[in-house]
Amino acid sequence: LRRADLLKGDPHQDPAVRVGKQKRIRSALSWALDNDQEAGLAAVVGLLAMVRGCGGFRPASKNYCGDDAIATCIAAFQGEPVELTEVRIRQTRPAQVGDSTIPKCRLLR
């Protein structure tokens, strides 16, 4: 979240409050939809790249997250300005001044 500049949307700002990773990511990405879509895109790209780098998308890897998890991730982003299709992510075009939505990304095998 720090790398993507989404700390403002992180509910874990107070060390006394314990918040799980999933809730932190969901909250920060929800915040980004309303406040900083470019930062949200950076977070999604970074998160997917980290999972990919650990073997989360390779069926032969011990870290493989599973077909169901991948299908759920793809379905979760349908209708959003981020396009996920298979296993590798790339930005399809750079952001331009005046864009009303964040640039699309495509997850490709």
Side-chain angles (χ1 to χ4, degrees), residues 2-103:
R2 184 176 299 116
R3 287 181 190 166
D5 197 26
L6 285 180
L7 289 178
K8 292 177 188 171
D10 184 2
H12 189 37
Q13 295 295 334
D14 181 358
V17 177
R18 294 192 179 252
V19 180
K21 293 177 189 94
Q22 185 178 22
K23 190 171 187 177
R24 289 179 70 192
I25 295 297
R26 285 179 190 241
S27 179
L29 291 178
S30 292
W31 179 89
L33 281 174
D34 294 331
N35 298 286
D36 192 344
Q37 291 185 353
E38 289 183 32
L41 174 64
V44 169
V45 170
L47 182 61
L48 291 172
M50 182 172 51
V51 171
R52 180 176 175 248
C54 293
F57 297 128
R58 277 193 328 262
S61 171
K62 66 178 181 153
N63 295 324
Y64 182 58
C65 59
D67 292 338
D68 188 51
I70 292 172
T72 300
C73 184
I74 291 169
F77 283 99
Q78 285 182 348
E80 297 296 333
V82 174
E83 181 182 348
L84 305 179
T85 53
E86 290 285 323
V87 175
R88 198 172 351 145
I89 190 165
R90 72 179 168 92
Q91 190 168 324
T92 57
R93 66 173 179 81
Q96 298 173 358
V97 175
D99 278 352
S100 60
T101 62
I102 58 176

